[in-house]
Amino acid sequence: MNTKILTEAIKAILALTLPFIKQLIESKVVPTLKRKAYEAIDKKVDKLITDLAQNAGKIKDEENSKKRLAYIEGTKLGVETLRAISNKLGQAADEIEKAVN
């Protein structure tokens, strides 16, 4: 078979099918990847929040003053960490959004 004819036939087929393939990827694969990435981050953040909430809950009931101070300092550090992560994510989202718009 003539390779030129075959090449042109493949180009014609790709021209017809690529939009459908792209649509399929965008409708199925991309949302799934976004969801999985969100779920992974969400799981880590939930664990951090849960740990901090447990730490904060232990503060008022702790009778040992050294442990109480440790819980207070640990909780403050965790809160600062959450705020730093939040700020970094917000700034990154703003910058990426500028590139998209």
Side-chain angles (χ1 to χ4, degrees), residues 5-72:
I5 295 172
L6 185 58
T7 301
E8 292 304 316
I10 291 172
K11 285 181 183 178
I13 291 169
L14 288 176
L16 291 172
T17 58
L18 282 179
F20 295 108
I21 293 170
K22 180 182 176 191
Q23 182 183 8
L24 178 65
I25 290 171
E26 289 174 348
S27 69
K28 301 286 183 198
V29 176
V30 173
T32 300
L33 291 175
K34 286 179 185 177
R35 181 180 49 82
K36 288 190 180 281
Y38 174 79
E39 287 171 352
I41 291 170
D42 191 50
K43 185 177 178 181
K44 290 185 184 292
V45 170
D46 280 349
K47 182 176 178 351
L48 178 59
I49 292 169
T50 300
D51 290 348
L52 283 172
Q54 287 174 349
N55 237 18
K58 292 176 183 179
I59 292 170
K60 71 176 182 175
D61 297 330
E62 184 57 54
E63 294 177 10
N64 182 318
S65 62
K66 287 184 181 181
K67 280 187 177 182
R68 187 171 189 277
L69 287 174
Y71 286 139
I72 290 170

